[in-house]
Amino acid sequence: MKAVQLTNGFGFEELTLTELDIPTPGPQEVLIRMRAASLNYRDLVILNGLMPVDIKFPFIPVSDGAGEIVAVGPGVTRFQVGHRVAGNLQQRFIAGNPRAEVLGESLAGPLNGVAAEYVVLHENGIVRIPDHLTWEEASTLPIAALTAWSMLIEYGGLQAGDTVLLQGTGGVSIFGLQFAVMAGARAIITSSSNAKLERAKVLGAWQTINYSEVPDWDKVALELTDGGVDHVLDVGGAATMVKSINALRIGGTVSMVGFLSGLTIPEYDVTGILQKAATVRGSQVGNRDHFEKMNRAIAHHGLHPVIDQVFPLNRIGEAFALLAEGKQYFGKIVVQI
Ligand SMILES: NC(=O)c1ccc[n+]([C@@H]2O[C@H](COP(=O)([O-])OP(=O)(O)OC[C@H]3O[C@@H](n4cnc5c(N)ncnc54)[C@H](OP(=O)(O)O)[C@@H]3O)[C@@H](O)[C@H]2O)c1
């Protein structure tokens, strides 16, 4: 089978398309013919050796993918040959809140990822995908969609009529926009591109702000909402976190998801968190129960993930290069397998 590997070390130049034996599923494991994989910023950080996870070479990158079960090992009860499935990032995170014993066994760091024609996963680490989605669409669900869903709907308790602020038009934020619209919430979305903001309006954004033209987007959000938003999905990190708290209504929530602009805020004054009585909740993607619930909602609403570009597996380097450019896409980048 064909597989992408980092053979000896980190970096773009180490990405190799190689030929491997098809793996055999052991007890409670299934063999999946992967059909598509989607890229996340996390994959880029790991590719560049910048995430503190224990990677053993040769290593198969990319955590998110969808495919069809073609064989089951002894004792498998949850799935049958022919089921269309996707892996959950954290293979042992089945239910409840994040806790030490369920985080750590993540696909594509430290475990191998799914950029291969065949992948063996434990039956507890996969979910059925909605029938109406293509392989490419389904491959976008495990991190980007589940993070937005977990933070807004499950832990965030988003209600119809609430206001949500989303940052930029990458994978997590566009799913956040789609779920906010699905839930009957009002979505404000920011972007560095007016053309992308127009596309966000088509998806149902209530208000849009160009954060390059309007650096004080937090103040605009306060004015638009007459007192602040209920929820911010923060993907910017260092450059956005303080403004995210400022944009909240009293009692609002910031879901701390990403670090696109860096991780460190020098000399941060915590007064804003106190004055806003804010909840700041860190994200660790999501559990399998929430993934299954999200998929039911996606199926019920006929939601289609937003894909910017699809690359063949032998051009995965170009897909990563597009991801690395940062702002040249809208939604998700996908690789066909
Ligand atoms: N902790 C978790 O559970 C978790 C889960 C998923 C993702 N993440 C993290 O969340 C972040 C976002 O992930 P993603 O997959 O959605 O990324 P992505 O698809 O690569 O998002 C890229 C987009 O983010 C926007 N952006 C970049 N810098 C920004 C800034 N300073 N302020 C506002 N928007 C900015 C840009 O939008 P425009 O082009 O429209 O300006 C850019 O196109 C990453 O850091 C990722 O590692 C964390």
Side-chain angles (χ1 to χ4, degrees):
M1 69 161 183
K2 288 190 173 48
V4 174
Q5 284 187 321
L6 293 176
T7 33
N8 296 308
F10 296 110
F12 275 76
E13 62 289 351
E14 290 291 332
L15 279 175
T16 316
L17 189 60
T18 185
E19 204 58 48
L20 299 176
D21 291 339
I22 296 175
T24 306
Q28 278 198 278
E29 291 179 338
V30 301
L31 178 66
I32 304 167
R33 171 67 176 92
M34 298 306 301
R35 295 292 180 181
S38 74
L39 302 189
N40 287 282
Y41 191 72
R42 176 182 185 273
D43 296 314
L44 189 64
V45 176
I46 289 177
L47 177 67
N48 288 321
L50 299 174
M51 192 171 270
V53 283
D54 185 20
I55 304 287
K56 303 237 180 345
F57 300 106
F59 169 73
I60 299 175
V62 187
S63 62
D64 289 9
E68 179 182 358
I69 295 180
V70 291
V72 297
V76 168
T77 56
R78 297 186 67 233
F79 297 96
Q80 295 165 12
V81 168
H83 281 167
R84 300 169 83 237
V85 295
N88 195 27
L89 173 75
Q90 283 135 359
Q91 286 285 285
R92 293 173 54 199
F93 192 9
I94 308 296
N97 291 322
R99 50 207 189 278
E101 65 271 23
V102 297
L103 302 179
E105 287 208 17
S106 303
L107 293 174
L111 305 177
N112 271 318
V114 302
E117 285 180 325
Y118 293 88
V119 168
V120 163
L121 293 177
H122 195 282
E123 66 168 337
N124 287 337
I126 57 178
V127 299
R128 300 278 296 273
I129 54 176
D131 290 340
H132 74 289
L133 297 186
T134 63
W135 296 118
E136 290 78 13
E137 289 171 334
S139 77
T140 67
L141 301 178
I143 290 188
L146 184 56
T147 299
W149 176 268
S150 298
M151 289 297 108
L152 292 178
I153 309 291
E154 302 289 353
Y155 300 120
L158 188 69
Q159 304 284 321
D162 284 355
T163 306
V164 185
L165 188 141
L166 303 149
Q167 300 174 344
T169 55
V172 175
S173 297
I174 292 298
F175 274 116
L177 171 60
Q178 291 179 295
F179 292 144
V181 171
M182 183 195 278
R186 301 188 302 183
I188 303 173
I189 189 163
T190 71
S191 174
S192 56
S193 152
N194 289 329
K196 291 184 182 182
L197 290 174
E198 287 305 314
R199 291 183 69 183
K201 276 188 202 161
V202 174
L203 289 172
W206 171 59
Q207 299 283 347
T208 60
I209 308 171
N210 185 317
Y211 64 82
S212 296
E213 294 170 0
V214 186
D216 290 340
W217 47 265
D218 50 330
K219 294 186 182 139
V220 177
L222 286 172
E223 284 163 17
L224 287 170
T225 52
D226 195 21
V229 305
D230 297 283
H231 206 129
V232 180
L233 210 50
D234 190 296
V235 297
T240 51
M241 192 60 186
V242 176
K243 290 183 182 187
S244 293
I245 291 164
N246 193 39
L248 288 182
R249 68 160 168 81
I250 291 183
T253 298
V254 175
S255 287
M256 181 59 219
V257 170
F259 44 91
L260 289 166
S261 66
L263 288 158
T264 308
I265 308 170
E267 294 186 26
Y268 174 57
D269 176 351
V270 297
T271 312
I273 298 178
L274 304 179
Q275 286 178 337
K276 292 275 171 159
T279 299
V280 178
R281 182 181 290 108
S283 168
Q284 285 292 333
V285 189
N287 66 42
R288 193 188 75 196
D289 279 0
H290 291 169
F291 198 162
E292 288 173 334
K293 227 165 125 186
M294 174 184 81
N295 286 352
R296 287 198 291 277
I298 286 174
H300 182 65
H301 286 265
L303 184 150
H304 286 276
V306 177
I307 295 174
D308 188 283
Q309 281 194 57
V310 180
F311 293 83
L313 189 62
N314 62 2
R315 287 173 52 205
I316 193 170
E318 288 171 55
F320 268 114
L322 179 62
L323 182 70
E325 282 179 46
K327 293 188 176 171
Q328 302 307 316
Y329 52 92
F330 184 92
K332 296 296 294 178
I333 300 167
V334 170
V335 176
Q336 271 172 343
I337 304 178

